[in-house]
Amino acid sequence: MKKIIILSSLFFVVVSSQAQQIQWASKVIKFSSDLGGKQNGIKRILGKPDSFPQGGSSPNAWVPKNALDGREVIELGFDKPQMVKQVAVFENLNAGCVVKISADNGSGKYETVWTRRADYKTPKYKTTLITDRSYYFKRKRRKIQEAPDLINPGIEYAILDNVVSNVVAVKVEFNFAILPGQKQIDAIGISDSEVPIEANINAKSIFENLPNPENILIGDLQPQSPIVSQNGNMLYFTNDASDKEEIYSCSKTTGGKWGQPILENSLNESEGYNYLEFAGADFMLRGGGLYSKGSNDSGFAILNNTNGKYENSGQLKIAAYNNYDDNADATISNDRKTLILSIETDFSQGGTDLYFANRKDDGTYSMLQNMGKIINSAADESSPQLLSDNKTLLFSSLGFSSFGNYDIYVSYRLDDTWKKWSEPVNLGNKINGNDYEGSPFYDEITEMLYFIRATEGKTSLVTVKIPKEDLTKN
């Protein structure tokens, strides 16, 4: 009898380490429907899982139009022919709707290799709630206090009776009426072994051996956007506990601890949003300014240090600047020549993406250029920080395999175009958890990483020691 195993992604266990040949779908041959667009389109099913092992709703997964009650079919190709004993379907929400799998052994014809036996006692579920439909078509913006919904995610492992040789494509048929609720498909893989295909987070073992992070005591303040001065003696962050977001600072004491927070009145020029993104030797990058579309104003300004006082030199101007999102984050190189922003434009992969712009001779910046599909996903990438080597980039994202909500990642620039980056590496479960982790800032002098952790709507300012050599080594 053909077997199928459904393993919840939340309790996934590696049952064997033996080598197996695994391929992920690399080409869409045919599909019955999708929502269209960059988010939840059919191409989001290609490649290795983006949403597992955590599962849950994600713009990086395929969502068909009849995802609540319909029958859908997809045909996917693979780079190389191979023997197949297992087909794994990674289902973000309400796993268990695969009803038939067929394989093409190079002949151009599909042969059925697995079917789910019909259970006529099982009710078929249809869309009955308006909220179900709006779940798909209402676009959700990021809120750091909310983790993605985890609604019975799982991986269906179809174990074939016999190995099928020379497989170049598979056809997978779904009946989404088998189970109630929303459905999303993250990825489909094939293997020559019965050993379940793993859903791995791209991480380094060195990050798993870090000390436990510690909270910095700042009273009832709700911190955002921490940065440290270049001499390591001042810690700045924004308090998000009131309608007006205001910048506070802490001075380092003789014992190496941070003192009590002090409101920095001179830095809080905006009526609404005030936050610092970078502190150089003689300047700061400040955000929160208003910009008018078509003015090239970016909302970010350089504060020059003049005799110990920071003076606003006016908003940075970026050619044809535009941002569809309500939020924007930025970082800048020490020499001010390269600006990196997290915004959403027509060229984004889906949500907010990471872009770069180069400074021109007149002090303004050239048009923003997207930093590429490797580092940008269909979800949001935010809060970048570029280290002094101009190659190591920290940022937060909801678009890659993670431990829960937003996680912190590091990526490395591979050439001088600023468009080729290494696959983002998760900073591990000592730093990242089931909740929100973001706004990373690394102090290269003390080798301390500062970041924000949000749990049940309350944010904390957290720090942990990471050797610089470990963080900057690709």
Side-chain angles (χ1 to χ4, degrees):
M1 177 180 287
K2 301 176 180 67
K3 298 179 290 182
I4 190 161
I5 309 167
I6 302 177
L7 295 185
S8 168
S9 65
L10 300 180
F11 301 98
F12 183 77
V13 178
V14 180
V15 299
S16 174
S17 60
Q18 74 180 70
Q20 59 181 149
Q21 183 181 357
I22 298 172
Q23 283 195 79
W24 302 103
S26 60
K27 178 175 61 176
V28 175
I29 300 172
K30 188 181 295 185
F31 64 101
S32 52
S33 74
D34 73 349
L35 293 184
K38 297 176 180 179
Q39 295 185 326
N40 298 125
I42 185 62
K43 290 188 177 180
R44 293 300 167 189
I45 203 172
L46 300 179
K48 66 180 185 179
D50 307 287
S51 307
F52 275 80
Q54 74 275 20
S57 179
S58 170
N60 282 307
W62 168 57
V63 179
K65 288 183 179 179
N66 296 321
L68 295 174
D69 56 26
R71 194 175 185 93
E72 299 280 349
V73 181
I74 51 174
E75 297 178 20
L76 304 170
F78 298 85
D79 285 336
K80 299 177 181 179
Q82 79 163 70
M83 298 176 62
V84 174
K85 179 65 175 176
Q86 169 192 172
V87 179
V89 182
F90 290 71
E91 298 172 271
N92 295 36
L93 303 168
N94 298 305
C97 294
V98 178
V99 294
K100 184 178 179 181
I101 298 174
S102 305
D104 177 5
N105 62 2
S107 66
K109 298 180 179 180
Y110 286 99
E111 175 188 352
T112 300
V113 295
W114 179 88
T115 58
R116 170 176 268 115
R117 180 178 297 176
D119 179 1
Y120 297 103
K121 295 181 180 180
T122 300
K124 298 296 187 291
Y125 296 92
K126 298 290 183 180
T127 305
T128 56
L129 299 176
I130 296 176
T131 53
D132 280 351
R133 186 61 67 181
S134 66
Y135 180 93
Y136 283 104
F137 293 95
K138 175 186 174 185
R139 185 167 190 185
K140 294 185 175 183
R141 304 311 306 167
R142 57 191 166 109
K143 293 183 179 180
I144 64 171
Q145 70 270 24
E146 292 182 1
D149 295 325
L150 295 178
I151 308 173
N152 302 320
I155 309 167
E156 291 199 68
Y157 295 100
I159 309 301
L160 312 186
D161 279 345
N162 301 303
V163 173
V164 181
S165 301
N166 203 43
V167 172
V168 297
V170 297
K171 179 195 290 185
V172 182
E173 300 180 35
F174 300 88
N175 183 358
F176 290 122
I178 291 176
L179 295 171
Q182 298 82 21
K183 316 293 189 309
Q184 292 186 356
I185 311 300
D186 185 12
I188 292 180
I190 56 176
S191 168
D192 59 351
S193 168
E194 291 191 14
V195 177
I197 298 175
E198 299 180 37
N200 291 322
I201 294 173
N202 186 33
K204 294 180 180 178
S205 59
I206 52 176
F207 295 144
E208 302 302 329
N209 298 319
L210 296 174
N212 291 323
E214 297 181 359
N215 288 355
I216 297 175
L217 301 179
I218 54 173
D220 294 330
L221 301 180
Q222 293 283 291
Q224 293 289 341
S225 305
I227 70 165
V228 176
S229 62
Q230 207 158 75
N231 61 15
N233 292 329
M234 294 293 293
L235 169 66
Y236 298 91
F237 64 90
T238 293
N239 175 37
D240 191 25
S242 60
D243 291 338
K244 180 178 180 179
E245 295 185 356
E246 296 179 304
I247 299 169
Y248 283 72
S249 69
C250 298
S251 299
K252 185 163 285 187
T253 66
T254 55
K257 300 291 184 180
W258 293 111
Q260 292 297 309
I262 298 174
L263 180 64
E264 290 283 353
N265 289 311
S266 62
L267 297 177
N268 295 303
E269 301 175 3
S270 172
E271 291 299 319
Y273 305 102
N274 299 278
Y275 55 99
L276 297 174
E277 299 278 41
F278 184 83
D282 57 356
F283 75 97
M284 288 182 175
L285 177 64
R286 179 187 177 279
L290 298 177
Y291 77 95
S292 300
K293 187 175 181 180
S295 68
N296 293 340
D297 286 345
S298 63
F300 295 93
I302 292 292
L303 308 181
N304 290 307
N305 189 340
T306 305
N307 299 322
K309 292 184 64 177
Y310 286 97
E311 298 181 354
N312 193 330
S313 61
Q315 287 200 32
L316 293 178
K317 291 188 177 293
I318 303 172
Y321 180 78
N322 187 33
N323 180 19
Y324 293 145
D325 196 272
D326 295 334
N327 303 289
D329 295 309
T331 189
I332 196 169
S333 58
N334 276 316
D335 58 10
R336 311 190 197 187
K337 290 183 178 180
T338 304
L339 183 67
I340 295 176
L341 270 75
S342 166
I343 59 173
E344 182 179 348
T345 78
D346 289 328
F347 302 100
S348 295
Q349 300 300 315
T352 54
D353 275 10
L354 299 175
Y355 294 79
F356 76 95
N358 295 316
R359 190 174 66 174
K360 299 189 291 185
D361 292 340
D362 63 1
T364 65
Y365 286 82
S366 60
M367 290 183 65
L368 288 162
Q369 300 181 63
N370 192 285
M371 293 168 67
K373 293 182 179 180
I374 298 298
I375 200 170
N376 289 313
S377 71
D380 290 332
E381 280 68 50
S382 62
S383 51
Q385 186 210 357
L386 182 68
L387 271 57
S388 62
D389 61 6
N390 281 352
K391 293 183 178 180
T392 305
L393 184 71
L394 292 166
F395 66 98
S396 181
S397 176
L398 188 60
F400 303 98
S401 292
S402 70
F403 293 96
N405 197 338
Y406 282 82
D407 276 9
I408 298 173
Y409 298 83
V410 62
S411 181
Y412 307 96
R413 182 165 60 87
L414 302 179
D415 66 9
D416 292 334
T417 68
W418 289 80
K419 295 181 180 180
K420 293 184 179 180
W421 293 81
S422 66
E423 180 183 356
V425 176
N426 191 292
L427 291 191
N429 60 13
K430 287 292 184 69
I431 292 172
N432 296 312
N434 187 55
D435 299 299
Y436 171 93
E437 282 80 27
S439 296
F441 190 92
Y442 185 70
D443 180 7
E444 297 183 50
I445 293 179
T446 61
E447 298 186 328
M448 299 296 293
L449 175 71
Y450 296 83
F451 63 97
I452 298 299
R453 174 173 287 158
T455 305
E456 296 180 353
K458 181 175 176 57
T459 59
S460 302
L461 178 53
V462 187
T463 185
V464 64
K465 180 87 171 182
I466 304 181
K468 185 176 179 180
E469 181 181 6
D470 292 343
L471 186 62
T472 58
K473 185 177 180 181
N474 186 0

